[in-house]
């Protein structure tokens, strides 16, 4: 499962980058695109860091960062959904993927905390 989630979070970041590359270059789009690229790539980077955690507490701490970044990614995808009619299907697909990743992470945090 760890390798599957590593690949899935990396693909999520890559797909968000590809989505952003389809939007026009403007101050407004660039601001949101930059934020989406940062937080979506942080999901995978911090998940990988969690996989190398030195303790349960460190693992939970790093997963909480993944949780925050996945939620932030959803926020920017929701903004795109509201401000443009471009790429609606891809925005919706990525939002669903972020939500699924978020659910997996929250479930993992709850499971680990219950084992303490």
């Amino acid at each position: 499962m760890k390798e599957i989630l590593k690949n899935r979070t990396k693909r999520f970041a890559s797909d968000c980058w590809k989505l952003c590359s389809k939007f026009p270059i403007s101050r407004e789009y660039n601001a949101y695109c930059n934020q989406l690229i940062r937080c979506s790539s942080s999901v995978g980077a911090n998940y990988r860091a969690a996989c190398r955690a030195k303790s349960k507490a460190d693992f939970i701490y790093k997963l909480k960062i993944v949780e925050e970044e996945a939620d932030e990614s959803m926020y920017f995808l929701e903004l795109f959904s509201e401000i443009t009619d471009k790429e609606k299907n891809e925005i919706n697909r990525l939002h669903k993927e972020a939500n699924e990743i978020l659910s997996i992470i929250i479930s993992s945090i709850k499971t680990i905390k219950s084992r303490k």
Side-chain angles (χ1 to χ4, degrees):
M1 179 67 173
K2 180 169 68 171
E3 288 304 314
I4 291 170
L5 201 50
K6 277 184 180 181
N7 290 331
R8 195 168 171 181
T9 57
K10 186 179 358 176
R11 187 172 49 253
F12 174 68
S14 176
D15 288 349
C16 285
W17 180 85
K18 289 174 188 171
L19 170 69
C20 288
S21 73
K22 296 176 183 176
F23 291 124
I25 296 173
S26 71
R27 184 178 63 182
E28 295 79 16
Y29 275 106
N30 290 352
Y32 288 166
C33 282
N34 289 339
Q35 286 297 115
L36 178 59
I37 289 169
R38 277 190 202 99
C39 58
S40 65
S41 59
S42 184
V43 170
N46 282 292
Y47 180 73
R48 289 173 68 107
C51 291
R52 294 184 309 278
K54 295 174 181 30
S55 66
K56 282 185 183 180
D58 189 33
F59 185 65
I60 291 169
Y61 173 77
K62 289 175 179 172
L63 284 184
K64 292 296 283 178
I65 295 170
V66 175
E67 177 186 356
E68 291 173 9
E69 298 294 340
D71 185 60
E72 186 176 333
S73 296
M74 291 173 63
Y75 172 77
F76 284 104
L77 289 163
E78 289 164 12
L79 283 175
F80 279 124
S81 184
E82 290 180 13
I83 63 173
T84 185
D85 290 327
K86 294 177 179 231
E87 304 297 328
K88 283 285 189 191
N89 289 337
E90 184 64 0
I91 292 168
N92 291 336
R93 184 188 73 77
L94 289 170
H95 189 274
K96 181 180 178 213
E97 177 66 0
N99 192 43
E100 288 177 13
I101 291 169
L102 180 61
S103 296
I104 291 166
I105 296 303
I106 290 171
S107 178
S108 297
I109 292 168
K110 287 180 181 177
T111 299
I112 293 160
K113 283 183 174 181
S114 72
R115 291 182 185 166
K116 279 190 165 182

